[in-house]
């Protein structure tokens, strides 16, 4: 079994599903892939099932009833991965905004350099975003600035969704207590890992906006992040976490 599992949540990603799976499977390191599909009406799950015969030991599919949110999809995937003994668990979008080649660099940051969480960062070396309107670049950049201001967490790309977790991080986080589902979910997971004392590395990537399919971004997701950060900070005062790091 591969030691690394790439989690890819999908909702109406028929145009991207086969392409992203084949790209991950072609990498020089053997990653397995788990697609978590939320009942896509466009037949995304059928595309994945068709490919499972070609990659029977490496491609897996979990189908859920209806659109339940990004955060719950990843938590479902985390639990699935931990139950099967994976050591490195990745988050990645289906739409090629995250370059699958960068999975190798995220893996190396954890497996070779000893970090507990590796983040594919758009803002650690300037602003590395392609094909986004300036308004969205500024919103994303200042969202991360806002998170650093409120939490004091030294992460340049706090809303990043391209990551590699070691299993020890996910085992230490109480997944049943995660509150958020959108951008705030990504912030909350980093915040908990930081509070627990794990070593975090930002790996510079170039983020390219999708060219196929439809973005799932909404104002509600940003609003959740805006108020969620304040809630997370207050909660850390009321219920501080004891760092566990590498114990």
């Amino acid at each position: 079994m591969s030691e690394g599992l790439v989690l890819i949540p999908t909702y109406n990603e028929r145009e991207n599903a086969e392409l992203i799976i084949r790209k991950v499977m072609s990498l020089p390191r053997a990653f397995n892939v788990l697609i978590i599909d939320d009942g896509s009406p466009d037949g995304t799950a059928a595309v994945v099932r068709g490919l499972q015969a070609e990659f029977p030991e490496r491609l897996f599919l979990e189908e859920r009833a209806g659109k339940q949110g990004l955060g719950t999809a990843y938590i479902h995937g985390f639990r699935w991965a931990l139950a099967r003994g994976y050591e490195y668990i990745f988050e990645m979008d289906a739409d090629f905004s995250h370059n699958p080649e960068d999975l190798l660099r995220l893996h190396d940051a954890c497996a070779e350099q000893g970090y507990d969480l590796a983040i594919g960062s758009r803002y650690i070396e300037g602003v590395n975003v392609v094909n986004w309107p300036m308004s969205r670049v500024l919103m994303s950049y200042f969202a991360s600035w806002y998170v650093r201001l409120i939490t004091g967490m030294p992460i340049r790309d706090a809303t990043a969704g391209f990551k590699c977790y070691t299993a020890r991080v996910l085992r230490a986080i109480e997944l049943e207590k995660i509150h958020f589902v959108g951008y705030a979910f990504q912030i909350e997971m980093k915040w908990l890992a930081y509070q627990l004392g794990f070593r975090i590395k930002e790996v510079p990537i170039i983020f390219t906006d999708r060219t196929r399919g439809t973005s799932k971004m909404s104002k509600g997701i940003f609003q959740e992040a805006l108020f969620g950060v304040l809630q997370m900070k207050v909660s850390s005062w009321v219920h501080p976490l004891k760092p566990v790091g590498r114990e």
Side-chain angles (χ1 to χ4, degrees):
M1 184 186 78
S2 169
E3 65 178 1
L5 179 70
V6 182
L7 306 178
I8 306 179
T10 56
Y11 183 78
N12 285 349
E13 292 288 358
R14 183 182 181 90
E15 295 176 77
N16 291 305
E18 180 171 357
L19 295 171
I20 197 74
I21 289 167
R22 289 194 181 281
K23 180 60 180 176
V24 174
M25 295 299 177
S26 73
L27 294 173
R29 184 171 288 118
F31 297 108
N32 289 355
V33 174
L34 172 64
I35 303 293
I36 306 111
D37 187 70
D38 274 7
S40 297
D42 72 345
T44 299
V47 172
V48 178
R49 285 195 296 271
L51 289 169
Q52 284 184 300
E54 188 173 343
F55 306 106
E57 303 297 325
R58 297 182 59 197
L59 177 60
F60 306 95
L61 172 65
E62 288 285 286
E63 297 183 67
R64 307 196 305 166
K67 194 173 182 182
Q68 300 178 42
L70 184 71
T72 66
Y74 275 128
I75 290 171
H76 184 101
F78 295 155
R79 289 181 171 138
W80 193 97
L82 292 174
R84 288 158 181 79
Y86 286 94
E87 181 60 32
Y88 304 103
I89 300 97
F90 300 80
E91 292 185 10
M92 190 174 74
D93 289 349
D95 60 8
F96 284 93
S97 55
H98 303 146
N99 183 350
E101 297 279 352
D102 288 329
L103 288 168
L104 302 170
R105 298 168 59 229
L106 294 177
H107 176 271
D108 287 348
C110 292
E112 304 296 331
Q113 299 172 35
Y115 289 93
D116 302 300
L117 168 60
I119 300 167
S121 178
R122 296 163 291 186
Y123 306 128
I124 194 66
E125 293 183 351
V127 177
N128 290 318
V129 177
V130 177
N131 292 339
W132 261 8
M134 184 55 65
S135 59
R136 189 166 174 188
V137 173
L138 291 173
M139 185 179 294
S140 173
Y141 183 84
F142 283 107
S144 286
W145 172 84
Y146 169 75
V147 172
R148 293 197 307 276
L149 176 68
I150 299 298
T151 66
M153 183 169 56
I155 294 176
R156 303 291 299 182
D157 194 350
T159 63
F162 192 20
K163 294 182 281 185
C164 174
Y165 294 94
T166 57
R168 58 181 164 265
V169 174
L170 296 179
R171 285 194 296 264
I173 292 173
E174 296 182 80
L175 296 174
E176 68 278 3
K177 294 184 179 179
I178 299 296
H179 294 94
F180 302 107
V181 296
Y183 261 27
F185 165 79
Q186 302 292 11
I187 299 166
E188 185 176 13
M189 289 294 294
K190 297 180 187 73
W191 175 232
L192 292 171
Y194 173 71
Q195 286 185 286
L196 288 167
F198 288 108
R199 297 184 65 212
I200 301 173
K201 168 79 170 181
E202 286 190 87
V203 177
I205 63 161
I206 296 175
F207 178 97
T208 304
D209 195 22
R210 67 165 62 235
T211 57
R212 293 173 295 273
T214 304
S215 173
K216 314 304 187 296
M217 187 57 59
S218 69
K219 289 183 179 179
I221 289 174
F222 279 108
Q223 288 171 352
E224 179 193 60
L226 178 67
F227 296 108
V229 171
L230 292 171
Q231 184 177 336
M232 283 184 279
K233 182 62 176 178
V234 171
S235 178
S236 72
W237 291 334
V238 178
H239 304 289
L241 296 179
K242 178 185 176 182
V244 295
R246 291 177 171 272
E247 292 180 8

